[in-house]
PDB file of all heavy atoms in Angstrom:
ATOM      1  N   VAL A1456    -115.556  52.709 -13.127  1.00 98.00           N
ATOM      2  CA  VAL A1456    -116.462  51.975 -12.236  1.00 98.00           C
ATOM      3  C   VAL A1456    -116.586  50.537 -12.712  1.00 98.00           C
ATOM      4  O   VAL A1456    -116.628  50.264 -13.922  1.00 98.00           O
ATOM      5  CB  VAL A1456    -117.861  52.641 -12.225  1.00 98.00           C
ATOM      6  CG1 VAL A1456    -118.914  51.711 -11.638  1.00 98.00           C
ATOM      7  CG2 VAL A1456    -117.832  53.948 -11.450  1.00 98.00           C
ATOM      8  N   SER A1457    -116.647  49.616 -11.758  1.00 98.00           N
ATOM      9  CA  SER A1457    -117.162  48.266 -12.046  1.00 98.00           C
ATOM     10  C   SER A1457    -118.336  48.030 -11.107  1.00 98.00           C
ATOM     11  O   SER A1457    -118.266  48.367  -9.914  1.00 98.00           O
ATOM     12  CB  SER A1457    -116.081  47.201 -11.862  1.00 98.00           C
ATOM     13  OG  SER A1457    -115.675  47.123 -10.506  1.00 98.00           O
ATOM     14  N   MET A1458    -119.412  47.499 -11.649  1.00 98.00           N
ATOM     15  CA  MET A1458    -120.626  47.286 -10.866  1.00 98.00           C
ATOM     16  C   MET A1458    -121.148  45.884 -11.135  1.00 98.00           C
ATOM     17  O   MET A1458    -121.188  45.438 -12.284  1.00 98.00           O
ATOM     18  CB  MET A1458    -121.693  48.327 -11.211  1.00 98.00           C
ATOM     19  CG  MET A1458    -122.934  48.241 -10.324  1.00 98.00           C
ATOM     20  SD  MET A1458    -124.152  49.558 -10.668  1.00 98.00           S
ATOM     21  CE  MET A1458    -124.880  48.938 -12.197  1.00 98.00           C
ATOM     22  N   LEU A1459    -121.549  45.212 -10.081  1.00 98.00           N
ATOM     23  CA  LEU A1459    -122.071  43.852 -10.169  1.00 98.00           C
ATOM     24  C   LEU A1459    -123.489  43.848  -9.612  1.00 98.00           C
ATOM     25  O   LEU A1459    -123.734  44.327  -8.503  1.00 98.00           O
ATOM     26  CB  LEU A1459    -121.189  42.904  -9.358  1.00 98.00           C
ATOM     27  CG  LEU A1459    -121.309  41.406  -9.611  1.00 98.00           C
ATOM     28  CD1 LEU A1459    -120.861  41.065 -11.032  1.00 98.00           C
ATOM     29  CD2 LEU A1459    -120.471  40.632  -8.594  1.00 98.00           C
ATOM     30  N   ALA A1460    -124.437  43.326 -10.409  1.00 98.00           N
ATOM     31  CA  ALA A1460    -125.825  43.192  -9.976  1.00 98.00           C
ATOM     32  C   ALA A1460    -126.133  41.702  -9.858  1.00 98.00           C
ATOM     33  O   ALA A1460    -126.294  41.004 -10.871  1.00 98.00           O
ATOM     34  CB  ALA A1460    -126.770  43.865 -10.964  1.00 98.00           C
ATOM     35  N   ILE A1461    -126.194  41.206  -8.623  1.00 98.00           N
ATOM     36  CA  ILE A1461    -126.328  39.773  -8.348  1.00 98.00           C
ATOM     37  C   ILE A1461    -127.799  39.413  -8.231  1.00 98.00           C
ATOM     38  O   ILE A1461    -128.560  40.052  -7.496  1.00 98.00           O
ATOM     39  CB  ILE A1461    -125.588  39.417  -7.045  1.00 98.00           C
ATOM     40  CG1 ILE A1461    -124.125  39.867  -7.148  1.00 98.00           C
ATOM     41  CG2 ILE A1461    -125.670  37.933  -6.763  1.00 98.00           C
ATOM     42  CD1 ILE A1461    -123.403  39.877  -5.810  1.00 98.00           C
ATOM     43  N   ALA A1462    -128.200  38.363  -8.953  1.00 98.00           N
ATOM     44  CA  ALA A1462    -129.604  37.943  -8.969  1.00 98.00           C
ATOM     45  C   ALA A1462    -130.033  37.420  -7.601  1.00 98.00           C
ATOM     46  O   ALA A1462    -129.208  36.947  -6.813  1.00 98.00           O
ATOM     47  CB  ALA A1462    -129.810  36.874 -10.032  1.00 98.00           C
ATOM     48  N   PRO A1463    -131.331  37.484  -7.290  1.00 97.00           N
ATOM     49  CA  PRO A1463    -131.818  36.993  -5.997  1.00 97.00           C
ATOM     50  C   PRO A1463    -131.491  35.529  -5.735  1.00 97.00           C
ATOM     51  O   PRO A1463    -131.292  35.145  -4.573  1.00 97.00           O
ATOM     52  CB  PRO A1463    -133.334  37.225  -6.079  1.00 97.00           C
ATOM     53  CG  PRO A1463    -133.490  38.357  -7.052  1.00 97.00           C
ATOM     54  CD  PRO A1463    -132.404  38.151  -8.064  1.00 97.00           C
ATOM     55  N   ASP A1464    -131.404  34.699  -6.789  1.00 96.00           N
ATOM     56  CA  ASP A1464    -131.072  33.291  -6.561  1.00 96.00           C
ATOM     57  C   ASP A1464    -129.568  33.061  -6.420  1.00 96.00           C
ATOM     58  O   ASP A1464    -129.129  31.934  -6.173  1.00 96.00           O
ATOM     59  CB  ASP A1464    -131.640  32.415  -7.685  1.00 96.00           C
ATOM     60  CG  ASP A1464    -131.004  32.711  -9.046  1.00 96.00           C
ATOM     61  OD1 ASP A1464    -130.054  33.532  -9.108  1.00 96.00           O
ATOM     62  OD2 ASP A1464    -131.444  32.119 -10.050  1.00 96.00           O
ATOM     63  N   ARG A1465    -128.772  34.127  -6.571  1.00 97.00           N
ATOM     64  CA  ARG A1465    -127.315  34.120  -6.382  1.00 97.00           C
ATOM     65  C   ARG A1465    -126.558  33.257  -7.395  1.00 97.00           C
ATOM     66  O   ARG A1465    -125.358  33.065  -7.262  1.00 97.00           O
ATOM     67  CB  ARG A1465    -126.934  33.638  -4.965  1.00 97.00           C
ATOM     68  CG  ARG A1465    -127.687  34.324  -3.848  1.00 97.00           C
ATOM     69  CD  ARG A1465    -127.267  35.763  -3.695  1.00 97.00           C
ATOM     70  NE  ARG A1465    -127.927  36.398  -2.562  1.00 97.00           N
ATOM     71  CZ  ARG A1465    -128.819  37.363  -2.636  1.00 97.00           C
ATOM     72  NH1 ARG A1465    -129.188  37.827  -3.830  1.00 97.00           N
ATOM     73  NH2 ARG A1465    -129.353  37.891  -1.564  1.00 97.00           N
ATOM     74  N   ARG A1466    -127.227  32.777  -8.430  1.00 97.00           N
ATOM     75  CA  ARG A1466    -126.554  31.904  -9.393  1.00 97.00           C
ATOM     76  C   ARG A1466    -126.100  32.653 -10.642  1.00 97.00           C
ATOM     77  O   ARG A1466    -125.401  32.083 -11.484  1.00 97.00           O
ATOM     78  CB  ARG A1466    -127.483  30.745  -9.801  1.00 97.00           C
ATOM     79  CG  ARG A1466    -127.897  29.876  -8.618  1.00 97.00           C
ATOM     80  CD  ARG A1466    -128.755  28.702  -9.087  1.00 97.00           C
ATOM     81  NE  ARG A1466    -127.989  27.757  -9.893  1.00 97.00           N
ATOM     82  CZ  ARG A1466    -127.295  26.733  -9.398  1.00 97.00           C
ATOM     83  NH1 ARG A1466    -127.262  26.515  -8.082  1.00 97.00           N
ATOM     84  NH2 ARG A1466    -126.630  25.924 -10.210  1.00 97.00           N
ATOM     85  N   SER A1467    -126.468  33.917 -10.772  1.00 98.00           N
ATOM     86  CA  SER A1467    -126.055  34.710 -11.923  1.00 98.00           C
ATOM     87  C   SER A1467    -125.926  36.166 -11.502  1.00 98.00           C
ATOM     88  O   SER A1467    -126.416  36.573 -10.443  1.00 98.00           O
ATOM     89  CB  SER A1467    -127.060  34.578 -13.078  1.00 98.00           C
ATOM     90  OG  SER A1467    -128.313  35.145 -12.705  1.00 98.00           O
ATOM     91  N   ALA A1468    -125.270  36.938 -12.348  1.00 98.00           N
ATOM     92  CA  ALA A1468    -125.088  38.359 -12.072  1.00 98.00           C
ATOM     93  C   ALA A1468    -124.836  39.087 -13.376  1.00 98.00           C
ATOM     94  O   ALA A1468    -124.404  38.487 -14.375  1.00 98.00           O
ATOM     95  CB  ALA A1468    -123.923  38.583 -11.111  1.00 98.00           C
ATOM     96  N   ASP A1469    -125.113  40.370 -13.383  1.00 98.00           N
ATOM     97  CA  ASP A1469    -124.803  41.226 -14.521  1.00 98.00           C
ATOM     98  C   ASP A1469    -123.607  42.100 -14.141  1.00 98.00           C
ATOM     99  O   ASP A1469    -123.593  42.740 -13.080  1.00 98.00           O
ATOM    100  CB  ASP A1469    -125.995  42.118 -14.883  1.00 98.00           C
ATOM    101  CG  ASP A1469    -127.130  41.330 -15.515  1.00 98.00           C
ATOM    102  OD1 ASP A1469    -126.851  40.277 -16.114  1.00 98.00           O
ATOM    103  OD2 ASP A1469    -128.293  41.759 -15.397  1.00 98.00           O
ATOM    104  N   LEU A1470    -122.602  42.116 -15.023  1.00 98.00           N
ATOM    105  CA  LEU A1470    -121.394  42.898 -14.795  1.00 98.00           C
ATOM    106  C   LEU A1470    -121.414  44.123 -15.700  1.00 98.00           C
ATOM    107  O   LEU A1470    -121.620  44.011 -16.904  1.00 98.00           O
ATOM    108  CB  LEU A1470    -120.152  42.051 -15.084  1.00 98.00           C
ATOM    109  CG  LEU A1470    -118.802  42.775 -15.009  1.00 98.00           C
ATOM    110  CD1 LEU A1470    -118.527  43.290 -13.606  1.00 98.00           C
ATOM    111  CD2 LEU A1470    -117.679  41.849 -15.482  1.00 98.00           C
ATOM    112  N   TYR A1471    -121.188  45.296 -15.099  1.00 98.00           N
ATOM    113  CA  TYR A1471    -121.093  46.557 -15.832  1.00 98.00           C
ATOM    114  C   TYR A1471    -119.689  47.110 -15.637  1.00 98.00           C
ATOM    115  O   TYR A1471    -119.240  47.307 -14.502  1.00 98.00           O
ATOM    116  CB  TYR A1471    -122.116  47.572 -15.317  1.00 98.00           C
ATOM    117  CG  TYR A1471    -123.553  47.119 -15.445  1.00 98.00           C
ATOM    118  CD1 TYR A1471    -124.134  46.311 -14.472  1.00 98.00           C
ATOM    119  CD2 TYR A1471    -124.333  47.512 -16.530  1.00 98.00           C
ATOM    120  CE1 TYR A1471    -125.462  45.900 -14.573  1.00 98.00           C
ATOM    121  CE2 TYR A1471    -125.660  47.105 -16.643  1.00 98.00           C
ATOM    122  CZ  TYR A1471    -126.212  46.296 -15.665  1.00 98.00           C
ATOM    123  OH  TYR A1471    -127.523  45.894 -15.773  1.00 98.00           O
ATOM    124  N   LEU A1472    -118.997  47.390 -16.738  1.00 98.00           N
ATOM    125  CA  LEU A1472    -117.647  47.928 -16.676  1.00 98.00           C
ATOM    126  C   LEU A1472    -117.612  49.280 -17.373  1.00 98.00           C
ATOM    127  O   LEU A1472    -117.963  49.397 -18.556  1.00 98.00           O
ATOM    128  CB  LEU A1472    -116.650  46.986 -17.350  1.00 98.00           C
ATOM    129  CG  LEU A1472    -116.353  45.666 -16.629  1.00 98.00           C
ATOM    130  CD1 LEU A1472    -115.450  44.809 -17.486  1.00 98.00           C
ATOM    131  CD2 LEU A1472    -115.715  45.921 -15.274  1.00 98.00           C
ATOM    132  N   ALA A1473    -117.172  50.297 -16.630  1.00 97.00           N
ATOM    133  CA  ALA A1473    -117.044  51.651 -17.173  1.00 97.00           C
ATOM    134  C   ALA A1473    -115.571  52.049 -17.087  1.00 97.00           C
ATOM    135  O   ALA A1473    -115.159  52.776 -16.179  1.00 97.00           O
ATOM    136  CB  ALA A1473    -117.928  52.624 -16.404  1.00 97.00           C
ATOM    137  N   GLY A1474    -114.762  51.512 -18.019  1.00 96.00           N
ATOM    138  CA  GLY A1474    -113.348  51.856 -18.062  1.00 96.00           C
ATOM    139  C   GLY A1474    -112.547  51.376 -16.877  1.00 96.00           C
ATOM    140  O   GLY A1474    -111.448  51.879 -16.618  1.00 96.00           O
ATOM    141  N   HIS A1475    -113.057  50.407 -16.137  1.00 97.00           N
ATOM    142  CA  HIS A1475    -112.446  49.992 -14.873  1.00 97.00           C
ATOM    143  C   HIS A1475    -111.759  48.632 -15.028  1.00 97.00           C
ATOM    144  O   HIS A1475    -112.129  47.835 -15.903  1.00 97.00           O
ATOM    145  CB  HIS A1475    -113.537  49.891 -13.800  1.00 97.00           C
ATOM    146  CG  HIS A1475    -113.016  49.935 -12.398  1.00 97.00           C
ATOM    147  ND1 HIS A1475    -112.700  51.100 -11.754  1.00 97.00           N
ATOM    148  CD2 HIS A1475    -112.750  48.944 -11.516  1.00 97.00           C
ATOM    149  CE1 HIS A1475    -112.269  50.835 -10.534  1.00 97.00           C
ATOM    150  NE2 HIS A1475    -112.285  49.527 -10.366  1.00 97.00           N
ATOM    151  N   PRO A1476    -110.749  48.345 -14.176  1.00 96.00           N
ATOM    152  CA  PRO A1476    -110.138  47.008 -14.215  1.00 96.00           C
ATOM    153  C   PRO A1476    -111.177  45.903 -14.044  1.00 96.00           C
ATOM    154  O   PRO A1476    -112.123  46.026 -13.267  1.00 96.00           O
ATOM    155  CB  PRO A1476    -109.169  47.047 -13.026  1.00 96.00           C
ATOM    156  CG  PRO A1476    -108.820  48.479 -12.858  1.00 96.00           C
ATOM    157  CD  PRO A1476    -110.066  49.234 -13.216  1.00 96.00           C
ATOM    158  N   VAL A1477    -110.956  44.811 -14.760  1.00 97.00           N
ATOM    159  CA  VAL A1477    -111.910  43.695 -14.771  1.00 97.00           C
ATOM    160  C   VAL A1477    -111.815  42.922 -13.451  1.00 97.00           C
ATOM    161  O   VAL A1477    -110.714  42.576 -13.001  1.00 97.00           O
ATOM    162  CB  VAL A1477    -111.616  42.764 -15.959  1.00 97.00           C
ATOM    163  CG1 VAL A1477    -112.617  41.621 -16.004  1.00 97.00           C
ATOM    164  CG2 VAL A1477    -111.624  43.554 -17.256  1.00 97.00           C
ATOM    165  N   PRO A1478    -112.950  42.633 -12.801  1.00 98.00           N
ATOM    166  CA  PRO A1478    -112.925  41.857 -11.564  1.00 98.00           C
ATOM    167  C   PRO A1478    -112.381  40.447 -11.785  1.00 98.00           C
ATOM    168  O   PRO A1478    -112.313  39.950 -12.915  1.00 98.00           O
ATOM    169  CB  PRO A1478    -114.397  41.821 -11.124  1.00 98.00           C
ATOM    170  CG  PRO A1478    -115.020  42.989 -11.821  1.00 98.00           C
ATOM    171  CD  PRO A1478    -114.297  43.113 -13.126  1.00 98.00           C
ATOM    172  N   LEU A1479    -112.029  39.797 -10.678  1.00 98.00           N
ATOM    173  CA  LEU A1479    -111.508  38.430 -10.720  1.00 98.00           C
ATOM    174  C   LEU A1479    -112.574  37.459 -10.224  1.00 98.00           C
ATOM    175  O   LEU A1479    -113.275  37.721  -9.239  1.00 98.00           O
ATOM    176  CB  LEU A1479    -110.280  38.304  -9.821  1.00 98.00           C
ATOM    177  CG  LEU A1479    -109.085  39.215 -10.083  1.00 98.00           C
ATOM    178  CD1 LEU A1479    -107.958  38.886  -9.103  1.00 98.00           C
ATOM    179  CD2 LEU A1479    -108.614  39.091 -11.521  1.00 98.00           C
TER     180      LEU A1479
END
């Protein structure tokens, strides 16, 4: 899994990687 949690101001995000290919 790859999961992205984007902040309400859209200027930052938290990336969670569970053995998954890294996003671009």
Side-chain angles (χ1 to χ4, degrees):
V1456 164
S1457 65
M1458 186 176 76
L1459 197 65
I1461 304 166
D1464 65 5
R1465 311 290 184 247
R1466 300 183 67 88
S1467 66
D1469 289 334
L1470 175 63
Y1471 300 84
L1472 290 175
H1475 200 81
V1477 181
L1479 302 182

